[in-house]
Amino acid sequence: MATNITFHPGNVTHAERCSFLRAQTGATLWLTGLSASGKSTIATALEQYLLHRGLHAYRLDGDNIRFGLNKDLGFSQKDREENIRRIGEVSLLFADSASLCVTSFISPYAADRELARKLHTSHKPALPFIEIFVDASLAECERRDPKGLYAKVRKGEIKSFTGISEDAPYERPQKPEIHIDADKTSVEDAVKVIAHYLIEKGIIKA
Amino acid sequence: MATNITFHPGNVTHAERCSFLRAQTGATLWLTGLSASGKSTIATALEQYLLHRGLHAYRLDGDNIRFGLNKDLGFSQKDREENIRRIGEVSLLFADSASLCVTSFISPYAADRELARKLHTSHKPALPFIEIFVDASLAECERRDPKGLYAKVRKGEIKSFTGISEDAPYERPQKPEIHIDADKTSVEDAVKVIAHYLIEKGIIKA
């Protein structure tokens, strides 16, 4: 009978969980970059790639976070920090669950990204946090401008905008695990680079 | 080559995701009941059962929520509501990811539980929200008292305590999907009841 099972007291360990799910481990793949740098497109393609391989993967982005968990937050400095803190905590839960969590947020401040990283590295057991810098030039982002946001900034309709306004700098990652030259790299090649890294580090199987 | 794949533009649908992961669907299994009613023990055993079957399952409880995502929250009425709201939102993300999310919180207020339910039923596609009432009598909870909390309440060391203090009622679920008489039901039997329900509703395979 399918429901006939003997329980052992206590929690399932992370290693047991991964073993049951035939996963190597859980991890967070943290994409960061300017608006229109291509983060979401790469994140979507990466999620597809992982799911196609039968791996549990899930993407956190503005659509499922800003209108849900973080709908109480605005765009003040304090709220932006809290936004990233919560995303870091939720990605940690997914990584702990043996899922591969792909986050796709500008996350412009090094301190906020470090906080998200530290949540993973100080977790017991430590969980991989892979910072992926989707590095597109401002000129290229402005040329693409799929949502017309840069145009609005130039017309003065948006006051504070990451990478343009003095009060909203984008702090480039100094030592990201993966650096993608997004001006020159196709989505397919970006996913390949990430997949090779994950295989090399033993996070997914070859 | 393992990384050689063609991407299609746009998001993976929930049905595609479930298909890739060989999951029937995602769902939230929301346990509610008094402190010491046995929620966490049943949740832990249920998670083990689901993982043993190779299904992606994850338990949200005080340990991984109160000290992480919700560590900024206290125990005021407003903070308790926000605590449950966030848990509802996170469980929705797990359910959307095709995971079976088991939540284990007192969640004493009907309105808060309804809000969590509504997040799932109004999601596109709607995701199953299964309210599981772990119904132990106050006398039995007080007899078990594994954390010594009821003893502290009786000594006056804890002022406000769900199910005892007038200002902290436990609102019994009126129409839970599953009702467990926790005074008389073993952990094994509770898991069997839940497993049968999940099979009957097509949420997991027989």
Side-chain angles (χ1 to χ4, degrees), chain A residues 1 8 11 17 47-48 56-59 69 85-86 96-97 196, chain B residues 1 8 11 17 47-48 56-59 69 72 85-86 96-97 196:
Chain A
M1 185 183 171
H8 68 77
N11 296 344
R17 180 186 303 279
E47 186 190 29
Q48 274 184 35
H56 196 277
Y58 192 63
R59 188 164 44 90
L69 178 66
R85 184 190 75 81
R86 290 188 198 168
D96 186 44
S97 83
H196 282 301
Chain B
M1 185 183 174
H8 66 78
N11 296 345
R17 180 186 303 278
E47 186 191 27
Q48 274 185 36
H56 196 277
Y58 192 63
R59 187 163 45 90
L69 178 65
D72 57 321
R85 184 191 75 81
R86 290 190 198 166
D96 186 45
S97 84
H196 281 301

PDB file of all heavy atoms in Angstrom, chain A residues 1 8 11 17 47-48 56-59 69 85-86 96-97 196, chain B residues 1 8 11 17 47-48 56-59 69 72 85-86 96-97 196:
ATOM      1  N   MET A   1       0.850  -1.206   0.000  1.00  0.00           N
ATOM      2  CA  MET A   1       0.000   0.000   0.000  1.00  0.00           C
ATOM      3  C   MET A   1       0.882   1.251   0.000  1.00  0.00           C
ATOM      4  O   MET A   1       1.833   1.359   0.772  1.00  0.00           O
ATOM      5  CB  MET A   1      -0.858  -0.022   1.259  1.00  0.00           C
ATOM      6  CG  MET A   1      -1.863   1.100   1.306  1.00  0.00           C
ATOM      7  SD  MET A   1      -2.758   1.009   2.877  1.00  0.00           S
ATOM      8  CE  MET A   1      -3.644   2.543   2.785  1.00  0.00           C
ATOM      9  N   HIS A   8      10.686   8.183  10.697  1.00  0.00           N
ATOM     10  CA  HIS A   8      11.699   8.337  11.739  1.00  0.00           C
ATOM     11  C   HIS A   8      11.521   9.721  12.335  1.00  0.00           C
ATOM     12  O   HIS A   8      11.160  10.668  11.625  1.00  0.00           O
ATOM     13  CB  HIS A   8      13.107   8.095  11.178  1.00  0.00           C
ATOM     14  CG  HIS A   8      13.598   9.105  10.207  1.00  0.00           C
ATOM     15  ND1 HIS A   8      14.069  10.346  10.580  1.00  0.00           N
ATOM     16  CD2 HIS A   8      13.690   9.083   8.854  1.00  0.00           C
ATOM     17  CE1 HIS A   8      14.446  11.011   9.513  1.00  0.00           C
ATOM     18  NE2 HIS A   8      14.210  10.280   8.447  1.00  0.00           N
ATOM     19  N   ASN A  11      13.825  15.858  11.649  1.00  0.00           N
ATOM     20  CA  ASN A  11      13.745  16.444  10.316  1.00  0.00           C
ATOM     21  C   ASN A  11      14.535  15.648   9.293  1.00  0.00           C
ATOM     22  O   ASN A  11      15.501  14.977   9.630  1.00  0.00           O
ATOM     23  CB  ASN A  11      14.291  17.867  10.355  1.00  0.00           C
ATOM     24  CG  ASN A  11      13.446  18.758  11.235  1.00  0.00           C
ATOM     25  OD1 ASN A  11      12.311  18.413  11.579  1.00  0.00           O
ATOM     26  ND2 ASN A  11      13.985  19.896  11.618  1.00  0.00           N
ATOM     27  N   ARG A  17      17.128  14.819   1.668  1.00  0.00           N
ATOM     28  CA  ARG A  17      16.177  15.478   0.758  1.00  0.00           C
ATOM     29  C   ARG A  17      16.684  15.427  -0.681  1.00  0.00           C
ATOM     30  O   ARG A  17      15.947  15.061  -1.599  1.00  0.00           O
ATOM     31  CB  ARG A  17      15.987  16.931   1.200  1.00  0.00           C
ATOM     32  CG  ARG A  17      15.019  17.736   0.343  1.00  0.00           C
ATOM     33  CD  ARG A  17      15.014  19.208   0.758  1.00  0.00           C
ATOM     34  NE  ARG A  17      14.686  19.390   2.150  1.00  0.00           N
ATOM     35  CZ  ARG A  17      13.438  19.387   2.626  1.00  0.00           C
ATOM     36  NH1 ARG A  17      12.415  19.225   1.825  1.00  0.00           N
ATOM     37  NH2 ARG A  17      13.217  19.559   3.911  1.00  0.00           N
ATOM     38  N   GLU A  47      15.708  28.782 -16.582  1.00  0.00           N
ATOM     39  CA  GLU A  47      14.677  27.992 -15.899  1.00  0.00           C
ATOM     40  C   GLU A  47      14.172  26.883 -16.830  1.00  0.00           C
ATOM     41  O   GLU A  47      14.029  25.730 -16.415  1.00  0.00           O
ATOM     42  CB  GLU A  47      13.522  28.911 -15.479  1.00  0.00           C
ATOM     43  CG  GLU A  47      12.473  28.208 -14.630  1.00  0.00           C
ATOM     44  CD  GLU A  47      11.226  29.056 -14.441  1.00  0.00           C
ATOM     45  OE1 GLU A  47      10.919  29.881 -15.333  1.00  0.00           O
ATOM     46  OE2 GLU A  47      10.555  28.881 -13.418  1.00  0.00           O
ATOM     47  N   GLN A  48      13.921  27.227 -18.088  1.00  0.00           N
ATOM     48  CA  GLN A  48      13.492  26.219 -19.068  1.00  0.00           C
ATOM     49  C   GLN A  48      14.503  25.093 -19.189  1.00  0.00           C
ATOM     50  O   GLN A  48      14.152  23.918 -19.173  1.00  0.00           O
ATOM     51  CB  GLN A  48      13.336  26.855 -20.457  1.00  0.00           C
ATOM     52  CG  GLN A  48      12.004  27.487 -20.730  1.00  0.00           C
ATOM     53  CD  GLN A  48      11.946  27.984 -22.187  1.00  0.00           C
ATOM     54  OE1 GLN A  48      12.497  27.375 -23.096  1.00  0.00           O
ATOM     55  NE2 GLN A  48      11.280  29.096 -22.391  1.00  0.00           N
ATOM     56  N   HIS A  56      14.147  20.501 -10.376  1.00  0.00           N
ATOM     57  CA  HIS A  56      13.211  21.469  -9.823  1.00  0.00           C
ATOM     58  C   HIS A  56      13.864  22.843  -9.835  1.00  0.00           C
ATOM     59  O   HIS A  56      14.887  23.061  -9.197  1.00  0.00           O
ATOM     60  CB  HIS A  56      12.817  21.081  -8.397  1.00  0.00           C
ATOM     61  CG  HIS A  56      11.593  21.807  -7.917  1.00  0.00           C
ATOM     62  ND1 HIS A  56      11.638  23.070  -7.392  1.00  0.00           N
ATOM     63  CD2 HIS A  56      10.290  21.452  -7.927  1.00  0.00           C
ATOM     64  CE1 HIS A  56      10.402  23.459  -7.084  1.00  0.00           C
ATOM     65  NE2 HIS A  56       9.560  22.487  -7.402  1.00  0.00           N
ATOM     66  N   ALA A  57      13.286  23.750 -10.584  1.00  0.00           N
ATOM     67  CA  ALA A  57      13.817  25.112 -10.691  1.00  0.00           C
ATOM     68  C   ALA A  57      12.654  26.077 -10.609  1.00  0.00           C
ATOM     69  O   ALA A  57      11.530  25.753 -11.020  1.00  0.00           O
ATOM     70  CB  ALA A  57      14.560  25.286 -12.011  1.00  0.00           C
ATOM     71  N   TYR A  58      12.922  27.248 -10.084  1.00  0.00           N
ATOM     72  CA  TYR A  58      11.851  28.242  -9.984  1.00  0.00           C
ATOM     73  C   TYR A  58      12.461  29.636 -10.048  1.00  0.00           C
ATOM     74  O   TYR A  58      13.501  29.907  -9.468  1.00  0.00           O
ATOM     75  CB  TYR A  58      11.080  28.060  -8.678  1.00  0.00           C
ATOM     76  CG  TYR A  58       9.793  28.863  -8.639  1.00  0.00           C
ATOM     77  CD1 TYR A  58       8.770  28.606  -9.537  1.00  0.00           C
ATOM     78  CD2 TYR A  58       9.614  29.878  -7.701  1.00  0.00           C
ATOM     79  CE1 TYR A  58       7.589  29.338  -9.513  1.00  0.00           C
ATOM     80  CE2 TYR A  58       8.425  30.612  -7.666  1.00  0.00           C
ATOM     81  CZ  TYR A  58       7.422  30.337  -8.577  1.00  0.00           C
ATOM     82  OH  TYR A  58       6.253  31.067  -8.549  1.00  0.00           O
ATOM     83  N   ARG A  59      11.782  30.472 -10.774  1.00  0.00           N
ATOM     84  CA  ARG A  59      12.260  31.825 -11.020  1.00  0.00           C
ATOM     85  C   ARG A  59      11.494  32.822 -10.160  1.00  0.00           C
ATOM     86  O   ARG A  59      10.264  32.818 -10.146  1.00  0.00           O
ATOM     87  CB  ARG A  59      12.054  32.140 -12.509  1.00  0.00           C
ATOM     88  CG  ARG A  59      12.660  33.413 -13.003  1.00  0.00           C
ATOM     89  CD  ARG A  59      12.728  33.388 -14.542  1.00  0.00           C
ATOM     90  NE  ARG A  59      11.483  32.890 -15.107  1.00  0.00           N
ATOM     91  CZ  ARG A  59      10.449  33.673 -15.440  1.00  0.00           C
ATOM     92  NH1 ARG A  59      10.511  34.979 -15.278  1.00  0.00           N
ATOM     93  NH2 ARG A  59       9.354  33.146 -15.951  1.00  0.00           N
ATOM     94  N   LEU A  69       4.283  38.711  -2.359  1.00  0.00           N
ATOM     95  CA  LEU A  69       4.960  38.851  -1.069  1.00  0.00           C
ATOM     96  C   LEU A  69       5.320  40.291  -0.745  1.00  0.00           C
ATOM     97  O   LEU A  69       5.155  40.738   0.386  1.00  0.00           O
ATOM     98  CB  LEU A  69       6.237  37.986  -1.073  1.00  0.00           C
ATOM     99  CG  LEU A  69       7.088  38.046   0.186  1.00  0.00           C
ATOM    100  CD1 LEU A  69       6.346  37.451   1.381  1.00  0.00           C
ATOM    101  CD2 LEU A  69       8.419  37.324  -0.021  1.00  0.00           C
ATOM    102  N   ARG A  85      16.064  41.913   0.731  1.00  0.00           N
ATOM    103  CA  ARG A  85      16.234  41.010   1.883  1.00  0.00           C
ATOM    104  C   ARG A  85      15.242  39.852   1.804  1.00  0.00           C
ATOM    105  O   ARG A  85      15.613  38.679   1.925  1.00  0.00           O
ATOM    106  CB  ARG A  85      16.012  41.758   3.212  1.00  0.00           C
ATOM    107  CG  ARG A  85      16.275  40.861   4.447  1.00  0.00           C
ATOM    108  CD  ARG A  85      15.830  41.484   5.749  1.00  0.00           C
ATOM    109  NE  ARG A  85      14.381  41.471   5.937  1.00  0.00           N
ATOM    110  CZ  ARG A  85      13.674  40.418   6.376  1.00  0.00           C
ATOM    111  NH1 ARG A  85      14.272  39.283   6.682  1.00  0.00           N
ATOM    112  NH2 ARG A  85      12.353  40.511   6.507  1.00  0.00           N
ATOM    113  N   ARG A  86      13.974  40.168   1.548  1.00  0.00           N
ATOM    114  CA  ARG A  86      12.959  39.110   1.487  1.00  0.00           C
ATOM    115  C   ARG A  86      13.224  38.142   0.330  1.00  0.00           C
ATOM    116  O   ARG A  86      13.042  36.938   0.458  1.00  0.00           O
ATOM    117  CB  ARG A  86      11.555  39.719   1.341  1.00  0.00           C
ATOM    118  CG  ARG A  86      11.077  40.443   2.592  1.00  0.00           C
ATOM    119  CD  ARG A  86       9.620  40.825   2.435  1.00  0.00           C
ATOM    120  NE  ARG A  86       9.219  41.860   3.360  1.00  0.00           N
ATOM    121  CZ  ARG A  86       8.077  42.541   3.287  1.00  0.00           C
ATOM    122  NH1 ARG A  86       7.218  42.287   2.292  1.00  0.00           N
ATOM    123  NH2 ARG A  86       7.779  43.463   4.176  1.00  0.00           N
ATOM    124  N   ASP A  96      17.153  25.580   0.052  1.00  0.00           N
ATOM    125  CA  ASP A  96      17.095  24.590   1.132  1.00  0.00           C
ATOM    126  C   ASP A  96      16.179  23.429   0.753  1.00  0.00           C
ATOM    127  O   ASP A  96      16.395  22.285   1.170  1.00  0.00           O
ATOM    128  CB  ASP A  96      16.605  25.278   2.414  1.00  0.00           C
ATOM    129  CG  ASP A  96      16.661  24.359   3.623  1.00  0.00           C
ATOM    130  OD1 ASP A  96      17.673  23.648   3.792  1.00  0.00           O
ATOM    131  OD2 ASP A  96      15.693  24.350   4.405  1.00  0.00           O
ATOM    132  N   SER A  97      15.178  23.708  -0.049  1.00  0.00           N
ATOM    133  CA  SER A  97      14.229  22.669  -0.472  1.00  0.00           C
ATOM    134  C   SER A  97      14.815  21.790  -1.585  1.00  0.00           C
ATOM    135  O   SER A  97      14.118  20.906  -2.096  1.00  0.00           O
ATOM    136  CB  SER A  97      12.926  23.308  -0.960  1.00  0.00           C
ATOM    137  OG  SER A  97      13.029  23.716  -2.313  1.00  0.00           O
ATOM    138  N   HIS A 196      27.465  25.189 -17.825  1.00  0.00           N
ATOM    139  CA  HIS A 196      28.807  24.614 -17.671  1.00  0.00           C
ATOM    140  C   HIS A 196      29.354  24.883 -16.268  1.00  0.00           C
ATOM    141  O   HIS A 196      29.979  24.012 -15.666  1.00  0.00           O
ATOM    142  CB  HIS A 196      29.754  25.161 -18.749  1.00  0.00           C
ATOM    143  CG  HIS A 196      29.561  24.500 -20.075  1.00  0.00           C
ATOM    144  ND1 HIS A 196      29.705  23.144 -20.241  1.00  0.00           N
ATOM    145  CD2 HIS A 196      29.215  24.992 -21.290  1.00  0.00           C
ATOM    146  CE1 HIS A 196      29.461  22.827 -21.512  1.00  0.00           C
ATOM    147  NE2 HIS A 196      29.150  23.941 -22.164  1.00  0.00           N
TER     148      HIS A 196
ATOM    149  N   MET B   1      25.188  17.133 -26.766  1.00  0.00           N
ATOM    150  CA  MET B   1      25.721  17.958 -25.673  1.00  0.00           C
ATOM    151  C   MET B   1      24.575  18.391 -24.750  1.00  0.00           C
ATOM    152  O   MET B   1      23.537  18.854 -25.200  1.00  0.00           O
ATOM    153  CB  MET B   1      26.384  19.196 -26.270  1.00  0.00           C
ATOM    154  CG  MET B   1      27.073  20.060 -25.243  1.00  0.00           C
ATOM    155  SD  MET B   1      27.746  21.526 -26.058  1.00  0.00           S
ATOM    156  CE  MET B   1      28.309  22.421 -24.618  1.00  0.00           C
ATOM    157  N   HIS B   8      12.181  28.404 -26.186  1.00  0.00           N
ATOM    158  CA  HIS B   8      11.043  29.098 -26.770  1.00  0.00           C
ATOM    159  C   HIS B   8      10.803  30.340 -25.935  1.00  0.00           C
ATOM    160  O   HIS B   8      11.015  30.345 -24.728  1.00  0.00           O
ATOM    161  CB  HIS B   8       9.809  28.187 -26.849  1.00  0.00           C
ATOM    162  CG  HIS B   8       9.226  27.772 -25.537  1.00  0.00           C
ATOM    163  ND1 HIS B   8       8.435  28.594 -24.776  1.00  0.00           N
ATOM    164  CD2 HIS B   8       9.305  26.614 -24.849  1.00  0.00           C
ATOM    165  CE1 HIS B   8       8.044  27.964 -23.686  1.00  0.00           C
ATOM    166  NE2 HIS B   8       8.567  26.756 -23.697  1.00  0.00           N
ATOM    167  N   ASN B  11       7.188  32.391 -20.824  1.00  0.00           N
ATOM    168  CA  ASN B  11       7.285  31.629 -19.587  1.00  0.00           C
ATOM    169  C   ASN B  11       6.836  30.193 -19.780  1.00  0.00           C
ATOM    170  O   ASN B  11       6.015  29.888 -20.636  1.00  0.00           O
ATOM    171  CB  ASN B  11       6.422  32.275 -18.509  1.00  0.00           C
ATOM    172  CG  ASN B  11       6.916  33.662 -18.148  1.00  0.00           C
ATOM    173  OD1 ASN B  11       8.044  34.034 -18.488  1.00  0.00           O
ATOM    174  ND2 ASN B  11       6.089  34.420 -17.470  1.00  0.00           N
ATOM    175  N   ARG B  17       5.504  22.875 -16.525  1.00  0.00           N
ATOM    176  CA  ARG B  17       6.381  22.697 -15.370  1.00  0.00           C
ATOM    177  C   ARG B  17       6.090  21.364 -14.683  1.00  0.00           C
ATOM    178  O   ARG B  17       7.006  20.582 -14.383  1.00  0.00           O
ATOM    179  CB  ARG B  17       6.166  23.849 -14.391  1.00  0.00           C
ATOM    180  CG  ARG B  17       7.024  23.797 -13.129  1.00  0.00           C
ATOM    181  CD  ARG B  17       6.618  24.904 -12.151  1.00  0.00           C
ATOM    182  NE  ARG B  17       6.713  26.214 -12.744  1.00  0.00           N
ATOM    183  CZ  ARG B  17       7.848  26.920 -12.850  1.00  0.00           C
ATOM    184  NH1 ARG B  17       8.971  26.426 -12.375  1.00  0.00           N
ATOM    185  NH2 ARG B  17       7.858  28.105 -13.396  1.00  0.00           N
ATOM    186  N   GLU B  47       5.909  15.440   5.234  1.00  0.00           N
ATOM    187  CA  GLU B  47       7.003  15.836   4.335  1.00  0.00           C
ATOM    188  C   GLU B  47       7.872  14.619   4.005  1.00  0.00           C
ATOM    189  O   GLU B  47       8.235  14.391   2.844  1.00  0.00           O
ATOM    190  CB  GLU B  47       7.839  16.931   5.005  1.00  0.00           C
ATOM    191  CG  GLU B  47       8.920  17.517   4.100  1.00  0.00           C
ATOM    192  CD  GLU B  47       9.890  18.400   4.855  1.00  0.00           C
ATOM    193  OE1 GLU B  47      10.087  18.193   6.077  1.00  0.00           O
ATOM    194  OE2 GLU B  47      10.475  19.300   4.221  1.00  0.00           O
ATOM    195  N   GLN B  48       8.195  13.832   5.023  1.00  0.00           N
ATOM    196  CA  GLN B  48       8.983  12.599   4.802  1.00  0.00           C
ATOM    197  C   GLN B  48       8.279  11.684   3.805  1.00  0.00           C
ATOM    198  O   GLN B  48       8.906  11.151   2.882  1.00  0.00           O
ATOM    199  CB  GLN B  48       9.150  11.831   6.110  1.00  0.00           C
ATOM    200  CG  GLN B  48      10.312  12.257   6.965  1.00  0.00           C
ATOM    201  CD  GLN B  48      10.449  11.334   8.184  1.00  0.00           C
ATOM    202  OE1 GLN B  48      10.203  10.128   8.096  1.00  0.00           O
ATOM    203  NE2 GLN B  48      10.805  11.909   9.295  1.00  0.00           N
ATOM    204  N   HIS B  56       8.583  16.628  -4.814  1.00  0.00           N
ATOM    205  CA  HIS B  56       9.175  17.805  -4.211  1.00  0.00           C
ATOM    206  C   HIS B  56       8.222  18.350  -3.158  1.00  0.00           C
ATOM    207  O   HIS B  56       7.100  18.746  -3.464  1.00  0.00           O
ATOM    208  CB  HIS B  56       9.467  18.876  -5.267  1.00  0.00           C
ATOM    209  CG  HIS B  56      10.411  19.931  -4.772  1.00  0.00           C
ATOM    210  ND1 HIS B  56      10.006  20.995  -4.019  1.00  0.00           N
ATOM    211  CD2 HIS B  56      11.762  20.039  -4.874  1.00  0.00           C
ATOM    212  CE1 HIS B  56      11.067  21.738  -3.707  1.00  0.00           C
ATOM    213  NE2 HIS B  56      12.148  21.176  -4.214  1.00  0.00           N
ATOM    214  N   ALA B  57       8.666  18.322  -1.907  1.00  0.00           N
ATOM    215  CA  ALA B  57       7.849  18.822  -0.804  1.00  0.00           C
ATOM    216  C   ALA B  57       8.728  19.667   0.099  1.00  0.00           C
ATOM    217  O   ALA B  57       9.939  19.431   0.199  1.00  0.00           O
ATOM    218  CB  ALA B  57       7.254  17.654  -0.022  1.00  0.00           C
ATOM    219  N   TYR B  58       8.115  20.652   0.740  1.00  0.00           N
ATOM    220  CA  TYR B  58       8.902  21.508   1.640  1.00  0.00           C
ATOM    221  C   TYR B  58       7.998  22.025   2.737  1.00  0.00           C
ATOM    222  O   TYR B  58       6.851  22.396   2.503  1.00  0.00           O
ATOM    223  CB  TYR B  58       9.522  22.668   0.863  1.00  0.00           C
ATOM    224  CG  TYR B  58      10.574  23.416   1.658  1.00  0.00           C
ATOM    225  CD1 TYR B  58      11.730  22.766   2.076  1.00  0.00           C
ATOM    226  CD2 TYR B  58      10.401  24.752   1.998  1.00  0.00           C
ATOM    227  CE1 TYR B  58      12.700  23.446   2.805  1.00  0.00           C
ATOM    228  CE2 TYR B  58      11.379  25.438   2.720  1.00  0.00           C
ATOM    229  CZ  TYR B  58      12.521  24.779   3.125  1.00  0.00           C
ATOM    230  OH  TYR B  58      13.480  25.440   3.844  1.00  0.00           O
ATOM    231  N   ARG B  59       8.545  22.029   3.917  1.00  0.00           N
ATOM    232  CA  ARG B  59       7.788  22.415   5.100  1.00  0.00           C
ATOM    233  C   ARG B  59       8.191  23.823   5.534  1.00  0.00           C
ATOM    234  O   ARG B  59       9.374  24.114   5.667  1.00  0.00           O
ATOM    235  CB  ARG B  59       8.108  21.405   6.215  1.00  0.00           C
ATOM    236  CG  ARG B  59       7.303  21.519   7.469  1.00  0.00           C
ATOM    237  CD  ARG B  59       7.429  20.234   8.292  1.00  0.00           C
ATOM    238  NE  ARG B  59       8.812  19.782   8.354  1.00  0.00           N
ATOM    239  CZ  ARG B  59       9.671  20.154   9.299  1.00  0.00           C
ATOM    240  NH1 ARG B  59       9.301  20.955  10.271  1.00  0.00           N
ATOM    241  NH2 ARG B  59      10.917  19.713   9.278  1.00  0.00           N
ATOM    242  N   LEU B  69      12.774  34.980   6.976  1.00  0.00           N
ATOM    243  CA  LEU B  69      11.929  35.953   6.286  1.00  0.00           C
ATOM    244  C   LEU B  69      11.198  36.893   7.245  1.00  0.00           C
ATOM    245  O   LEU B  69      11.117  38.089   6.997  1.00  0.00           O
ATOM    246  CB  LEU B  69      10.902  35.203   5.426  1.00  0.00           C
ATOM    247  CG  LEU B  69       9.899  36.073   4.661  1.00  0.00           C
ATOM    248  CD1 LEU B  69      10.598  36.927   3.612  1.00  0.00           C
ATOM    249  CD2 LEU B  69       8.814  35.206   4.019  1.00  0.00           C
ATOM    250  N   ASP B  72      11.796  40.254  11.176  1.00  0.00           N
ATOM    251  CA  ASP B  72      11.500  41.650  11.490  1.00  0.00           C
ATOM    252  C   ASP B  72      10.141  41.805  12.177  1.00  0.00           C
ATOM    253  O   ASP B  72       9.788  42.910  12.579  1.00  0.00           O
ATOM    254  CB  ASP B  72      11.518  42.502  10.209  1.00  0.00           C
ATOM    255  CG  ASP B  72      10.547  41.994   9.154  1.00  0.00           C
ATOM    256  OD1 ASP B  72      10.430  40.753   9.005  1.00  0.00           O
ATOM    257  OD2 ASP B  72       9.902  42.819   8.473  1.00  0.00           O
ATOM    258  N   ARG B  85       0.282  36.403   6.396  1.00  0.00           N
ATOM    259  CA  ARG B  85       0.181  36.841   4.991  1.00  0.00           C
ATOM    260  C   ARG B  85       1.422  36.410   4.204  1.00  0.00           C
ATOM    261  O   ARG B  85       1.326  35.832   3.123  1.00  0.00           O
ATOM    262  CB  ARG B  85       0.045  38.371   4.900  1.00  0.00           C
ATOM    263  CG  ARG B  85      -0.159  38.856   3.455  1.00  0.00           C
ATOM    264  CD  ARG B  85      -0.032  40.373   3.299  1.00  0.00           C
ATOM    265  NE  ARG B  85       1.337  40.846   3.361  1.00  0.00           N
ATOM    266  CZ  ARG B  85       2.210  40.827   2.341  1.00  0.00           C
ATOM    267  NH1 ARG B  85       1.850  40.368   1.160  1.00  0.00           N
ATOM    268  NH2 ARG B  85       3.448  41.286   2.500  1.00  0.00           N
ATOM    269  N   ARG B  86       2.589  36.658   4.780  1.00  0.00           N
ATOM    270  CA  ARG B  86       3.830  36.306   4.068  1.00  0.00           C
ATOM    271  C   ARG B  86       3.942  34.787   3.887  1.00  0.00           C
ATOM    272  O   ARG B  86       4.397  34.315   2.846  1.00  0.00           O
ATOM    273  CB  ARG B  86       5.052  36.822   4.836  1.00  0.00           C
ATOM    274  CG  ARG B  86       5.182  38.336   4.798  1.00  0.00           C
ATOM    275  CD  ARG B  86       6.526  38.742   5.366  1.00  0.00           C
ATOM    276  NE  ARG B  86       6.552  40.154   5.745  1.00  0.00           N
ATOM    277  CZ  ARG B  86       7.498  40.706   6.496  1.00  0.00           C
ATOM    278  NH1 ARG B  86       8.501  39.963   6.954  1.00  0.00           N
ATOM    279  NH2 ARG B  86       7.455  41.997   6.799  1.00  0.00           N
ATOM    280  N   ASP B  96       3.149  27.124  -6.797  1.00  0.00           N
ATOM    281  CA  ASP B  96       3.294  27.508  -8.206  1.00  0.00           C
ATOM    282  C   ASP B  96       4.499  26.811  -8.837  1.00  0.00           C
ATOM    283  O   ASP B  96       4.494  26.516 -10.041  1.00  0.00           O
ATOM    284  CB  ASP B  96       3.442  29.034  -8.287  1.00  0.00           C
ATOM    285  CG  ASP B  96       3.452  29.543  -9.723  1.00  0.00           C
ATOM    286  OD1 ASP B  96       2.605  29.080 -10.523  1.00  0.00           O
ATOM    287  OD2 ASP B  96       4.299  30.393 -10.049  1.00  0.00           O
ATOM    288  N   SER B  97       5.502  26.526  -8.020  1.00  0.00           N
ATOM    289  CA  SER B  97       6.713  25.858  -8.527  1.00  0.00           C
ATOM    290  C   SER B  97       6.505  24.358  -8.707  1.00  0.00           C
ATOM    291  O   SER B  97       7.455  23.645  -9.052  1.00  0.00           O
ATOM    292  CB  SER B  97       7.879  26.101  -7.569  1.00  0.00           C
ATOM    293  OG  SER B  97       7.861  25.168  -6.504  1.00  0.00           O
ATOM    294  N   HIS B 196      -4.396   9.800   1.474  1.00  0.00           N
ATOM    295  CA  HIS B 196      -5.577   9.314   0.745  1.00  0.00           C
ATOM    296  C   HIS B 196      -6.351  10.468   0.117  1.00  0.00           C
ATOM    297  O   HIS B 196      -6.824  10.373  -1.007  1.00  0.00           O
ATOM    298  CB  HIS B 196      -6.476   8.494   1.673  1.00  0.00           C
ATOM    299  CG  HIS B 196      -5.971   7.102   1.890  1.00  0.00           C
ATOM    300  ND1 HIS B 196      -5.774   6.215   0.852  1.00  0.00           N
ATOM    301  CD2 HIS B 196      -5.595   6.450   3.018  1.00  0.00           C
ATOM    302  CE1 HIS B 196      -5.307   5.074   1.332  1.00  0.00           C
ATOM    303  NE2 HIS B 196      -5.177   5.191   2.653  1.00  0.00           N
TER     304      HIS B 196
END
